[in-house]
Amino acid sequence: MKTVLIIEDDLLVRESIQDWLEIQGFQVLGAENGSLGIQLAQERLPDIILCDVEMPGANGYDVLTELRHNPLTIGIPFIFLTGRDTKTDFRQGMNLGADDYLTKPCDPQELLTAIASRLEKHQAVQTQTQKQLEDLRSSIALSLPHELRTPLTGILSAVETLRVLADSIDRATALEIADAVQISAERLHRLIQNFLLYARLEVSAHTTDITPSSQIITTENPALLIHQTAHQVAEQRRRSLDLQIELQNVAVAFPEPELRKVLQELVDNAFKFSKSGQSVQISSRITAETYHIQITNQGRGMTAEQIANLGAYIQFDRKFYEQQGTGLGLTIAKRLLESYGGKLTIHSLPDQETTVQTTFLRAVESVE
């Protein structure tokens, strides 16, 4: 039995709708004002809400705004009931996140059809989301052990070598073995962090977890961050001479830690899939509303099929990981960019050149 919450200050209207819906098999809750409606919605979590627009105190728009800011009620289907039938009223309600807008007096069949339609759509979204999350759990469970094996094997092999040669090795050899352990351990740590980050981003992308714009932190000097991150990655890859950077600079509406992560993954990919001596070029350009970073390498490139698969939900296909994990870093970068209104595009010619372009929104300049 589905539960409907009716928020309506007109007793006659509220009771007539309630009686009709109960006859149709719904469990119905009634609230005579917006404040009580918000309280009931948060306590009882109904399957759908019908709400009058014009009420004393908290009106319908106030109710909707409050419920859309609560993680528990953000996804509940919401239908406005109003005696006013203007385009402005309709647009205001839809902009706030309403699912439908019915004019009073409502035709009983029209109301029933609207409720059934919104419940069906909501159920379809929930079913799809659940399937995607199940796919995510399954893909991680299948691929994570395979990906952990390589660095873990490196650590175990180095430790076994140290055990066997403990009584005969000199300091230089011991340090060489320690370096091997550290390299494998760092790779293992990064891999685990990337899996956890990817899982969080996928869950956020397919649920109602929304990043509030008020929490977006501006990076004032992205060019400096690009220089620092790119040179750090180049040094780790022992490819400093291959790095070429030419940048413009403007503040972006993107948090610095996330920007650093995006750059780490993209620059590392550029070096990973190109050879020593082949240049990795990083440049940027500015438009009225955006900031673009291009990272180009002359490596082996990607096919159109591989680029298309980066947008797929499951990234842990075995063939990608036989190619040193192609896809995960790019997918993390893509998800992070999309979380803040950005975009990632790839242009590639196999065995010739690949350019990854990231688009960031420019920070809004404050007015003194």
Side-chain angles (χ1 to χ4, degrees), residues 261-271 295 329-330 333 337 344 356 358:
K261 181 62 176 176
V262 168
L263 294 169
Q264 285 174 341
E265 294 300 330
L266 298 183
V267 176
D268 188 65
N269 265 1
F271 283 115
I295 303 173
L330 285 172
L337 283 161
L344 183 145
V356 178
T358 58

PDB file of all heavy atoms in Angstrom, residues 261-271 295 329-330 333 337 344 356 358:
ATOM      1  N   LYS A 261      43.805  15.909  -8.076  1.00  0.00           N
ATOM      2  CA  LYS A 261      43.563  14.504  -8.397  1.00  0.00           C
ATOM      3  C   LYS A 261      43.305  14.323  -9.889  1.00  0.00           C
ATOM      4  O   LYS A 261      43.832  13.390 -10.517  1.00  0.00           O
ATOM      5  CB  LYS A 261      42.372  13.980  -7.588  1.00  0.00           C
ATOM      6  CG  LYS A 261      42.043  12.507  -7.838  1.00  0.00           C
ATOM      7  CD  LYS A 261      43.191  11.612  -7.430  1.00  0.00           C
ATOM      8  CE  LYS A 261      42.826  10.152  -7.579  1.00  0.00           C
ATOM      9  NZ  LYS A 261      43.968   9.253  -7.286  1.00  0.00           N
ATOM     10  N   VAL A 262      42.484  15.194 -10.476  1.00  0.00           N
ATOM     11  CA  VAL A 262      42.210  15.129 -11.912  1.00  0.00           C
ATOM     12  C   VAL A 262      43.516  15.223 -12.702  1.00  0.00           C
ATOM     13  O   VAL A 262      43.780  14.427 -13.613  1.00  0.00           O
ATOM     14  CB  VAL A 262      41.244  16.256 -12.333  1.00  0.00           C
ATOM     15  CG1 VAL A 262      41.180  16.370 -13.856  1.00  0.00           C
ATOM     16  CG2 VAL A 262      39.846  16.008 -11.769  1.00  0.00           C
ATOM     17  N   LEU A 263      44.345  16.182 -12.347  1.00  0.00           N
ATOM     18  CA  LEU A 263      45.611  16.376 -13.061  1.00  0.00           C
ATOM     19  C   LEU A 263      46.555  15.200 -12.881  1.00  0.00           C
ATOM     20  O   LEU A 263      47.219  14.760 -13.828  1.00  0.00           O
ATOM     21  CB  LEU A 263      46.279  17.667 -12.577  1.00  0.00           C
ATOM     22  CG  LEU A 263      45.534  18.962 -12.922  1.00  0.00           C
ATOM     23  CD1 LEU A 263      46.132  20.135 -12.173  1.00  0.00           C
ATOM     24  CD2 LEU A 263      45.554  19.208 -14.415  1.00  0.00           C
ATOM     25  N   GLN A 264      46.640  14.672 -11.668  1.00  0.00           N
ATOM     26  CA  GLN A 264      47.510  13.519 -11.414  1.00  0.00           C
ATOM     27  C   GLN A 264      47.142  12.351 -12.318  1.00  0.00           C
ATOM     28  O   GLN A 264      48.016  11.720 -12.927  1.00  0.00           O
ATOM     29  CB  GLN A 264      47.418  13.101  -9.945  1.00  0.00           C
ATOM     30  CG  GLN A 264      48.159  14.014  -8.990  1.00  0.00           C
ATOM     31  CD  GLN A 264      47.916  13.642  -7.542  1.00  0.00           C
ATOM     32  OE1 GLN A 264      46.946  12.953  -7.206  1.00  0.00           O
ATOM     33  NE2 GLN A 264      48.800  14.092  -6.655  1.00  0.00           N
ATOM     34  N   GLU A 265      45.856  12.061 -12.396  1.00  0.00           N
ATOM     35  CA  GLU A 265      45.421  10.910 -13.185  1.00  0.00           C
ATOM     36  C   GLU A 265      45.659  11.142 -14.678  1.00  0.00           C
ATOM     37  O   GLU A 265      46.139  10.250 -15.382  1.00  0.00           O
ATOM     38  CB  GLU A 265      43.937  10.628 -12.929  1.00  0.00           C
ATOM     39  CG  GLU A 265      43.619  10.183 -11.508  1.00  0.00           C
ATOM     40  CD  GLU A 265      44.341   8.910 -11.113  1.00  0.00           C
ATOM     41  OE1 GLU A 265      44.618   8.074 -11.997  1.00  0.00           O
ATOM     42  OE2 GLU A 265      44.648   8.745  -9.920  1.00  0.00           O
ATOM     43  N   LEU A 266      45.349  12.335 -15.172  1.00  0.00           N
ATOM     44  CA  LEU A 266      45.459  12.591 -16.604  1.00  0.00           C
ATOM     45  C   LEU A 266      46.912  12.713 -17.060  1.00  0.00           C
ATOM     46  O   LEU A 266      47.291  12.194 -18.116  1.00  0.00           O
ATOM     47  CB  LEU A 266      44.680  13.851 -16.972  1.00  0.00           C
ATOM     48  CG  LEU A 266      43.168  13.801 -16.704  1.00  0.00           C
ATOM     49  CD1 LEU A 266      42.502  15.079 -17.193  1.00  0.00           C
ATOM     50  CD2 LEU A 266      42.529  12.585 -17.353  1.00  0.00           C
ATOM     51  N   VAL A 267      47.735  13.403 -16.264  1.00  0.00           N
ATOM     52  CA  VAL A 267      49.147  13.530 -16.632  1.00  0.00           C
ATOM     53  C   VAL A 267      49.847  12.183 -16.519  1.00  0.00           C
ATOM     54  O   VAL A 267      50.667  11.819 -17.371  1.00  0.00           O
ATOM     55  CB  VAL A 267      49.837  14.594 -15.748  1.00  0.00           C
ATOM     56  CG1 VAL A 267      51.341  14.649 -16.057  1.00  0.00           C
ATOM     57  CG2 VAL A 267      49.214  15.969 -15.974  1.00  0.00           C
ATOM     58  N   ASP A 268      49.528  11.429 -15.484  1.00  0.00           N
ATOM     59  CA  ASP A 268      50.136  10.109 -15.332  1.00  0.00           C
ATOM     60  C   ASP A 268      49.772   9.201 -16.503  1.00  0.00           C
ATOM     61  O   ASP A 268      50.610   8.459 -17.017  1.00  0.00           O
ATOM     62  CB  ASP A 268      49.689   9.473 -14.008  1.00  0.00           C
ATOM     63  CG  ASP A 268      50.432   8.190 -13.703  1.00  0.00           C
ATOM     64  OD1 ASP A 268      51.658   8.241 -13.500  1.00  0.00           O
ATOM     65  OD2 ASP A 268      49.793   7.119 -13.700  1.00  0.00           O
ATOM     66  N   ASN A 269      48.517   9.261 -16.955  1.00  0.00           N
ATOM     67  CA  ASN A 269      48.112   8.477 -18.121  1.00  0.00           C
ATOM     68  C   ASN A 269      48.892   8.881 -19.364  1.00  0.00           C
ATOM     69  O   ASN A 269      49.280   8.039 -20.179  1.00  0.00           O
ATOM     70  CB  ASN A 269      46.606   8.655 -18.383  1.00  0.00           C
ATOM     71  CG  ASN A 269      45.776   7.547 -17.754  1.00  0.00           C
ATOM     72  OD1 ASN A 269      46.315   6.653 -17.112  1.00  0.00           O
ATOM     73  ND2 ASN A 269      44.478   7.618 -17.931  1.00  0.00           N
ATOM     74  N   ALA A 270      49.109  10.187 -19.515  1.00  0.00           N
ATOM     75  CA  ALA A 270      49.840  10.676 -20.692  1.00  0.00           C
ATOM     76  C   ALA A 270      51.257  10.114 -20.735  1.00  0.00           C
ATOM     77  O   ALA A 270      51.770   9.747 -21.800  1.00  0.00           O
ATOM     78  CB  ALA A 270      49.879  12.201 -20.686  1.00  0.00           C
ATOM     79  N   PHE A 271      51.901  10.023 -19.568  1.00  0.00           N
ATOM     80  CA  PHE A 271      53.246   9.443 -19.522  1.00  0.00           C
ATOM     81  C   PHE A 271      53.194   7.917 -19.611  1.00  0.00           C
ATOM     82  O   PHE A 271      54.038   7.291 -20.259  1.00  0.00           O
ATOM     83  CB  PHE A 271      53.955   9.856 -18.232  1.00  0.00           C
ATOM     84  CG  PHE A 271      54.472  11.257 -18.255  1.00  0.00           C
ATOM     85  CD1 PHE A 271      53.963  12.216 -17.392  1.00  0.00           C
ATOM     86  CD2 PHE A 271      55.465  11.634 -19.146  1.00  0.00           C
ATOM     87  CE1 PHE A 271      54.441  13.516 -17.402  1.00  0.00           C
ATOM     88  CE2 PHE A 271      55.959  12.932 -19.170  1.00  0.00           C
ATOM     89  CZ  PHE A 271      55.431  13.882 -18.300  1.00  0.00           C
ATOM     90  N   ILE A 295      45.826  18.125 -22.513  1.00  0.00           N
ATOM     91  CA  ILE A 295      47.004  17.293 -22.250  1.00  0.00           C
ATOM     92  C   ILE A 295      47.168  16.364 -23.445  1.00  0.00           C
ATOM     93  O   ILE A 295      46.299  15.524 -23.717  1.00  0.00           O
ATOM     94  CB  ILE A 295      46.844  16.484 -20.951  1.00  0.00           C
ATOM     95  CG1 ILE A 295      46.588  17.429 -19.770  1.00  0.00           C
ATOM     96  CG2 ILE A 295      48.073  15.616 -20.693  1.00  0.00           C
ATOM     97  CD1 ILE A 295      46.253  16.722 -18.476  1.00  0.00           C
ATOM     98  N   GLY A 329      41.528   5.721 -14.086  1.00  0.00           N
ATOM     99  CA  GLY A 329      41.949   7.090 -13.812  1.00  0.00           C
ATOM    100  C   GLY A 329      41.164   8.102 -14.622  1.00  0.00           C
ATOM    101  O   GLY A 329      40.754   9.155 -14.112  1.00  0.00           O
ATOM    102  N   LEU A 330      40.936   7.802 -15.895  1.00  0.00           N
ATOM    103  CA  LEU A 330      40.155   8.697 -16.743  1.00  0.00           C
ATOM    104  C   LEU A 330      38.714   8.813 -16.254  1.00  0.00           C
ATOM    105  O   LEU A 330      38.119   9.890 -16.283  1.00  0.00           O
ATOM    106  CB  LEU A 330      40.171   8.201 -18.189  1.00  0.00           C
ATOM    107  CG  LEU A 330      41.470   8.421 -18.966  1.00  0.00           C
ATOM    108  CD1 LEU A 330      41.410   7.702 -20.307  1.00  0.00           C
ATOM    109  CD2 LEU A 330      41.727   9.905 -19.180  1.00  0.00           C
ATOM    110  N   ALA A 333      38.592  11.040 -13.197  1.00  0.00           N
ATOM    111  CA  ALA A 333      38.698  12.438 -13.612  1.00  0.00           C
ATOM    112  C   ALA A 333      37.376  12.928 -14.211  1.00  0.00           C
ATOM    113  O   ALA A 333      36.916  14.045 -13.918  1.00  0.00           O
ATOM    114  CB  ALA A 333      39.832  12.599 -14.622  1.00  0.00           C
ATOM    115  N   LEU A 337      35.014  15.925 -12.622  1.00  0.00           N
ATOM    116  CA  LEU A 337      34.678  17.100 -13.425  1.00  0.00           C
ATOM    117  C   LEU A 337      33.165  17.301 -13.502  1.00  0.00           C
ATOM    118  O   LEU A 337      32.658  18.411 -13.323  1.00  0.00           O
ATOM    119  CB  LEU A 337      35.265  16.958 -14.827  1.00  0.00           C
ATOM    120  CG  LEU A 337      36.769  17.216 -14.941  1.00  0.00           C
ATOM    121  CD1 LEU A 337      37.325  16.601 -16.221  1.00  0.00           C
ATOM    122  CD2 LEU A 337      37.041  18.713 -14.910  1.00  0.00           C
ATOM    123  N   LEU A 344      34.893  16.258 -19.627  1.00  0.00           N
ATOM    124  CA  LEU A 344      36.127  15.667 -20.143  1.00  0.00           C
ATOM    125  C   LEU A 344      35.857  15.090 -21.526  1.00  0.00           C
ATOM    126  O   LEU A 344      34.886  14.356 -21.710  1.00  0.00           O
ATOM    127  CB  LEU A 344      36.651  14.573 -19.204  1.00  0.00           C
ATOM    128  CG  LEU A 344      37.975  13.906 -19.592  1.00  0.00           C
ATOM    129  CD1 LEU A 344      38.778  13.556 -18.336  1.00  0.00           C
ATOM    130  CD2 LEU A 344      37.752  12.636 -20.417  1.00  0.00           C
ATOM    131  N   VAL A 356      43.529  14.878 -24.295  1.00  0.00           N
ATOM    132  CA  VAL A 356      42.453  14.890 -23.307  1.00  0.00           C
ATOM    133  C   VAL A 356      42.192  16.343 -22.933  1.00  0.00           C
ATOM    134  O   VAL A 356      43.110  17.054 -22.507  1.00  0.00           O
ATOM    135  CB  VAL A 356      42.828  14.076 -22.056  1.00  0.00           C
ATOM    136  CG1 VAL A 356      41.700  14.156 -21.026  1.00  0.00           C
ATOM    137  CG2 VAL A 356      43.105  12.627 -22.417  1.00  0.00           C
ATOM    138  N   THR A 358      39.975  18.985 -20.605  1.00  0.00           N
ATOM    139  CA  THR A 358      39.095  19.155 -19.447  1.00  0.00           C
ATOM    140  C   THR A 358      38.523  20.564 -19.482  1.00  0.00           C
ATOM    141  O   THR A 358      39.221  21.532 -19.798  1.00  0.00           O
ATOM    142  CB  THR A 358      39.858  18.952 -18.135  1.00  0.00           C
ATOM    143  OG1 THR A 358      40.954  19.878 -18.073  1.00  0.00           O
ATOM    144  CG2 THR A 358      40.390  17.535 -18.046  1.00  0.00           C
TER     145      THR A 358
END
